[in-house]
């Protein structure tokens, strides 16, 4: 049986988007309550009945959330321009070697705005 398993995480952070036009509200420092969803896919182990323990996802993601939570994202290495697109790529690059079967990263910055990334 082939499945996609996902787990959600939340963090609060401030950012400024320097690539936006002069005067655009997002160029100024502002904050979001971000939601991160990490999805892995693969075959369910028929003996265990699972793809793998959800805790493995938390072990890989929690240190990254700790690094970003209540921080100014522009100060984080690799996030000088912390758009949700760049955030999705940043998480992917940090997790791809730690989570076999990494399938999808979703970053949501508002109730209506999100980016979905499935690697290159």
């Amino acid at each position: 049986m082939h499945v996609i398993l996902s787990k959600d995480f939340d963090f609060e952070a401030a950012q400024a988007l320097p690539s936006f036009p002069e005067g655009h509200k997002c160029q100024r420092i502002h904050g979001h309550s971000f939601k991160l969803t990490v999805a892995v896919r693969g075959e369910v182990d028929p003996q265990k009945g699972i793809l793998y323990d959800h805790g493995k996802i938390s072990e890989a993601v929690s240190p990254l959330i700790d690094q970003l939570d209540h921080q100014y994202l522009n100060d984080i290495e690799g996030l000088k321009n912390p758009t949700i697109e760049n955030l999705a790529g940043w998480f992917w690059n940090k997790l791809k070697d730690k989570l076999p079967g990494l399938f999808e990263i979703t970053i949501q910055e508002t109730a209506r705005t999100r980016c979905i990334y499935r690697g290159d």
Side-chain angles (χ1 to χ4, degrees):
M1 178 169 57
H2 196 81
V3 298
I4 297 170
L5 179 69
S6 63
K7 189 159 186 177
D8 295 331
F9 302 87
D10 299 300
F11 64 98
E12 309 284 333
Q15 66 182 160
L17 302 179
S19 65
F20 277 51
E22 185 68 34
H24 191 286
K25 66 181 181 178
C26 293
Q27 192 183 51
R28 296 188 302 271
I29 294 174
H30 62 284
H32 290 288
S33 297
F34 291 94
K35 178 180 175 183
L36 166 70
T37 303
V38 176
V40 294
R41 81 174 168 185
E43 292 295 322
V44 172
D45 180 324
Q47 300 300 318
K48 295 180 182 177
I50 62 171
L51 174 57
Y52 57 76
D53 188 333
H54 297 155
K56 186 173 181 177
I57 299 172
S58 293
E59 285 175 20
V61 175
S62 291
L64 301 176
I65 296 297
D66 291 344
Q67 185 180 356
L68 302 182
D69 191 40
H70 285 82
Q71 298 298 318
Y72 180 54
L73 296 179
N74 300 65
D75 289 342
I76 305 296
E77 187 174 334
L79 290 176
K80 279 187 167 185
N81 185 27
T83 62
I84 55 176
E85 295 88 346
N86 287 336
L87 271 169
W90 185 87
F91 275 107
W92 183 277
N93 289 330
K94 300 282 186 183
L95 295 171
K96 65 184 177 184
D97 295 332
K98 295 178 181 179
L99 293 176
L102 182 61
F103 173 64
E104 183 175 271
I105 299 289
T106 303
I107 299 286
Q108 186 168 338
E109 68 180 5
T110 71
R112 297 183 182 110
T113 310
R114 71 193 56 77
C115 175
I116 299 169
Y117 181 61
R118 293 187 178 151
D120 293 325

